Amino acid sequence: MSQTNTLPAQVERKPLTLSDRLDQMTPEFKKALPGHITPERFVRTAQTAIALTRNIEKVRNPASLLAACTKAATDGLILDGREAALVVDYQGDVQYRPMMRGLLKLAYQSGQIKSLVVEPVREKDKFTHEPTNAKKPITHKVDHSKDRGEAYAVYAIAELMSGGIVHEVMNVGDVNAIRDRSDAYKAFKAGKIKSTPWATDWAEMARKTVFRRISKYLPSSTDRDAFHQAAERIDEEYTIDAAAEPGETPAPTQFTAPKKRGGAAAALKDVTPAKAKPQPEPEHDAETGEVFDQDGPDGNDPRFANDGPQAGDDI
């Protein structure tokens, strides 16, 4: 009597989407997140960000998503389109981008800063800068009832809990000198990419530039806290371009998300990029993509409770 060898039927494995893999990464994010942000909320918000991120279907390196989300978790910022956001660069990599609201939140959470203002100055504003006036080096008055004209400077001024004042002022030439060193802007000028935030949202990039400069002089609670770590990430933004289509010719020198080693990165191997799994459509601004918070208080500084969308927050 002949015997027939029966092999077990192979179960067809459905490729995991980016959203599915984020669920599996929850324990990893928990290790990086500050205590006031639950990993479940962080992952849920990141999944929503995936659904709303332009060109997310063109991601070529799924591991870059883990790197981007891990940076956000380490900084303690939610990927909600206000504190921080995900962007897809011209290489098809996912990048993490802190926004001004998130940076200001971290500055206050450092416990060393009483107030912090970062604003552009326009031609019809009343603005004075007295570097030798230690008590009031900057005066800025704005009339919102009329056109303010073109921006000609940008400044940041911080009042410290200790009572001191730190300030920084940069004119358009100062800001553009930094802009012109940006690899993305060089590629834009050369016609290699279609757009760059420096061309579409100059004022917001200028705010980040002066914020990055003043952050070097602000005190921190530790040698390397989340505030200064997030501020340093602004430099990375000058070497990527979120608005360019994946596959366009990149700049000569480009920023690539660092590769992650170990179990977390290995888990992302051979993941199929896909849009987030179906979920209730979040309430968001149709123009900016800003997601409105539906979860209530989450530990954010109460001074931001009534903040509305900021111009250029898609940076």
Side-chain angles (χ1 to χ4, degrees):
M1 185 176 180
S2 62
Q3 294 181 344
T4 302
N5 293 328
T6 303
L7 296 176
Q10 293 186 352
V11 179
E12 183 178 353
R13 298 179 62 183
K14 183 179 179 180
L16 293 174
T17 66
L18 295 177
S19 182
D20 293 332
R21 192 58 71 184
L22 277 178
D23 276 330
Q24 295 187 358
M25 294 300 102
T26 299
E28 298 297 323
F29 297 138
K30 184 177 181 179
K31 297 175 184 177
L33 285 166
H36 68 274
I37 301 177
T38 66
E40 292 76 19
R41 181 173 188 271
F42 179 84
V43 169
R44 185 172 68 251
T45 309
Q47 288 172 335
T48 300
I50 289 176
L52 298 177
T53 298
R54 179 190 176 196
N55 289 328
I56 196 67
E57 73 281 358
K58 298 180 181 179
V59 173
R60 297 174 179 173
N61 177 18
S64 66
L65 173 68
L66 174 62
C69 290
T70 300
K71 286 181 179 181
T74 301
D75 290 348
L77 295 180
I78 292 291
L79 295 162
D80 60 357
R82 295 172 296 177
E83 294 184 7
L86 296 175
V87 296
V88 180
D89 68 13
Y90 46 67
Q91 294 177 286
D93 285 338
V94 181
Q95 304 286 358
Y96 153 65
R97 181 166 286 177
M99 296 184 176
M100 277 305 307
R101 177 166 175 164
L103 294 168
L104 290 172
K105 185 188 87 167
L106 292 177
Y108 281 113
Q109 287 183 343
S110 71
Q112 305 297 313
I113 298 171
K114 186 176 181 180
S115 68
L116 177 59
V117 177
V118 185
E119 287 294 327
V121 184
R122 299 187 179 276
E123 294 170 335
K124 297 181 182 179
D125 295 350
K126 293 182 179 180
F127 178 78
T128 59
H129 178 212
E130 300 179 72
T132 57
N133 187 339
K135 293 184 178 181
K136 196 174 183 179
I138 290 176
T139 301
H140 187 200
K141 295 182 179 181
V142 178
D143 184 353
H144 291 288
S145 66
K146 60 185 179 181
D147 178 67
R148 296 172 57 195
E150 295 294 324
Y152 67 88
V154 61
Y155 70 92
I157 182 167
E159 182 181 1
L160 309 181
M161 286 296 186
S162 62
I165 291 179
V166 180
H167 72 282
E168 186 73 38
V169 178
M170 301 176 69
N171 61 31
V172 169
D174 296 331
V175 174
N176 286 348
I178 293 176
R179 177 202 65 184
D180 293 345
R181 293 198 295 269
S182 161
D183 291 328
Y185 188 73
K186 291 177 182 177
F188 170 72
K189 294 294 288 184
K192 295 179 179 180
I193 57 177
K194 295 179 180 178
S195 181
T196 172
W198 276 112
T200 59
D201 295 277
W202 182 93
E204 190 67 6
M205 291 300 286
R207 291 179 75 205
K208 285 191 175 185
T209 300
V210 75
F211 178 89
R212 174 70 177 92
R213 182 168 289 187
I214 196 177
S215 70
K216 299 176 182 180
Y217 308 110
L218 297 176
S220 62
S221 55
T222 62
D223 289 339
R224 187 174 180 79
D225 60 0
F227 163 53
H228 286 88
Q229 184 170 264
E232 290 177 4
R233 298 196 196 280
I234 297 175
D235 286 345
E236 298 173 356
E237 296 184 17
Y238 299 146
T239 58
I240 67 172
D241 190 279
E245 293 289 337
E248 293 183 66
T249 305
T253 303
Q254 53 216 5
F255 170 75
T256 303
K259 295 181 179 180
K260 299 291 180 180
R261 299 182 180 274
L268 281 173
K269 185 179 181 181
D270 300 325
V271 178
T272 300
K275 292 185 178 180
K277 58 187 177 184
Q279 53 186 302
E281 180 68 18
E283 185 180 358
H284 67 281
D285 187 300
E287 291 188 8
T288 65
E290 176 186 338
V291 179
F292 300 129
D293 193 355
Q294 299 174 335
D295 297 321
D298 61 354
N300 289 352
D301 194 295
R303 281 162 285 203
F304 298 105
N306 296 318
D307 269 2
Q310 300 296 314
D313 259 359
D314 58 336
I315 292 302

